[in-house]
Amino acid sequence: MGREHLTNDEFFAQLNNLFEYNRNTGHGSVYLSQKRLIFDTESQPKTPTKVADDPLWDTHPENPLPILVRAHNNRSSKLDGKSKGTDRKDVDKISISTVVQPEKLDAFFVQYAEACKAGMSGLKKRDRRGKKDKKKKKKGAAETKG
Amino acid sequence: MPYLETSAEWYEQSSLLLKARPTTTHITSKYTVLKPNARKIKKHTKYLEKRAARPADSSRPTSEAPAADSALEPKATFVLKTYDPASGTCLQYQTTKAAEVGRLIGSLGRLGRHQAALPEGMEDLGAPAEATGISTPQMEEDVKMGGAPAEAKANGGGKKKKKGKK
């Protein structure tokens, strides 16, 4: 992952593309991950001494640390012999990453939630069952009326 | 690796893990859409043929028909995983419901606060977006803000009393 990080806005645009791509193909995965970013230029020289002094230094750092958020799809390769019956295609791995500064964290996750809600359209909708029940009820009502 | 049963439990355990090992723990989530494979389709068509062959159970087919269609639809799942390579702890939660996504990403955000080493208390929506970097002055402002209405109320009360006296 030697690529440069995107800005938060660019990241969301790319994330939407990933989800859109997933929707178009009709199958596949989108992976999202988040972790603390420790290999920062400022904090790096401090860490060795801290480790020596206190093994639990990382539970109470002096300053809030940024978070690294990554997203990627799954790569698939077209197999000559095996994929005859399927519509499997060559798909390159697309990976994107961004650094979220602690001040922007909450705003980022609000936007993140919106992007994910919009993107994960394959999941079961909440009101499906209810609609069916309503339809049944309506039908029942119509029958009683008729 | 077992899946935790509720998202609340997953959040709780993950936050404990993050408190213990904030640097090494990472959270991965996977959204997958899978088409049914060839074998499943074959199995399903066989099952349909079998059912068509014996129409004796007349009462059930209407209720089973939608379930049969859904077996051939692509299946989407959303899996959350908190993993700490240092201790080997792995916490997972899986869902297929779209309704849960918003809440789960919200808890990802709250866990993100642990990862960023931000104070935990700012869980109120709206306020934390600005209050993160400069928490103490913000609090003071809040106190002032809180103080001002109280005074206003006091004044109002006084006026009312005066009015009452008149």
Side-chain angles (χ1 to χ4, degrees):
Chain A
M1 297 283 265
R3 274 172 231 91
E4 285 185 10
H5 302 304
L6 303 171
T7 64
N8 291 1
D9 291 334
E10 281 172 1
F11 177 79
F12 281 120
Q14 293 289 321
L15 184 65
N16 285 336
N17 285 347
L18 271 185
F19 279 125
E20 189 63 41
Y21 191 75
N22 180 280
R23 202 174 301 143
N24 289 340
T25 51
H27 64 102
S29 309
V30 177
Y31 296 81
L32 310 161
S33 81
Q34 64 185 69
K35 63 195 280 194
R36 175 181 281 186
L37 188 66
I38 38 169
F39 295 106
D40 210 9
T41 46
E42 293 171 23
S43 64
Q44 205 169 13
K46 289 180 189 172
T47 49
T49 53
K50 272 185 183 175
V51 172
D53 291 344
D54 179 9
L56 294 175
W57 66 269
D58 63 342
T59 57
H60 45 78
E62 289 169 19
N63 301 313
L65 294 158
I67 285 182
L68 176 65
V69 179
R70 287 181 182 145
H72 68 90
N73 64 349
N74 52 352
R75 179 180 171 276
S76 78
S77 54
K78 194 178 177 80
L79 300 170
D80 287 330
K82 289 180 183 176
S83 62
K84 267 184 183 174
T86 66
D87 51 355
R88 191 169 162 175
K89 288 169 195 161
D90 262 328
V91 179
D92 282 332
K93 181 174 170 179
I94 306 164
S95 50
I96 50 174
S97 61
T98 187
V99 175
V100 186
Q101 295 302 324
E103 310 89 54
K104 293 177 185 169
L105 194 77
D106 291 283
F108 177 85
F109 272 99
V110 169
Q111 212 178 337
Y112 195 45
E114 290 302 318
C116 290
K117 269 194 255 178
M120 297 180 187
S121 55
L123 294 168
K124 281 182 195 166
K125 302 287 181 298
R126 183 200 299 229
D127 51 357
R128 218 182 222 182
R129 192 71 182 250
K131 272 182 186 172
K132 268 180 194 172
D133 289 349
K134 277 177 191 171
K135 275 180 187 173
K136 275 182 188 174
K137 278 179 189 172
K138 278 179 186 173
K139 274 182 185 176
E143 281 171 13
T144 50
K145 277 178 187 174
Chain B
M1 288 176 285
Y3 289 91
L4 295 174
E5 287 192 359
T6 62
S7 59
E9 197 184 349
W10 176 84
Y11 169 71
E12 209 172 292
Q13 297 293 330
S14 300
S15 69
L16 290 175
L17 180 60
L18 273 175
K19 270 177 204 162
R21 297 183 182 273
T23 316
T24 50
T25 305
H26 53 253
I27 306 170
T28 319
S29 44
K30 182 175 78 161
Y31 165 70
T32 317
V33 182
L34 283 178
K35 280 181 181 171
N37 57 13
R39 193 179 53 176
K40 196 173 183 183
I41 292 170
K42 209 176 172 184
K43 213 174 173 183
H44 186 68
T45 47
K46 265 190 182 175
Y47 162 75
L48 284 180
E49 280 170 13
K50 260 193 181 177
R51 228 186 45 189
R54 44 167 190 176
D57 302 338
S58 55
S59 61
R60 288 194 175 181
T62 47
S63 61
E64 280 181 15
D69 290 338
S70 70
L72 293 181
E73 279 173 14
K75 191 184 172 190
T77 52
F78 186 42
V79 182
L80 293 160
K81 182 164 87 174
T82 317
Y83 179 57
D84 170 32
S87 64
T89 318
C90 183
L91 305 161
Q92 281 180 300
Y93 176 70
Q94 185 178 30
T95 186
T96 56
K97 291 172 193 161
E100 275 188 292
V101 173
R103 183 158 20 102
L104 290 173
I105 304 289
S107 55
L108 279 185
R110 279 184 290 166
L111 292 173
R113 296 187 67 85
H114 288 298
Q115 290 179 318
L118 289 167
E120 206 180 326
M122 317 279 206
E123 287 183 11
D124 305 321
L125 286 173
E130 299 134 23
T132 49
I134 34 164
S135 55
T136 40
Q138 198 76 18
M139 286 300 282
E140 284 173 11
E141 277 176 24
D142 283 350
V143 170
K144 281 174 192 169
M145 288 293 281
E151 285 171 13
K153 276 178 191 171
N155 291 339
K159 279 174 189 173
K160 273 177 191 172
K161 273 178 193 172
K162 279 174 190 172
K163 278 176 187 173
K165 279 176 187 174
K166 281 174 186 175

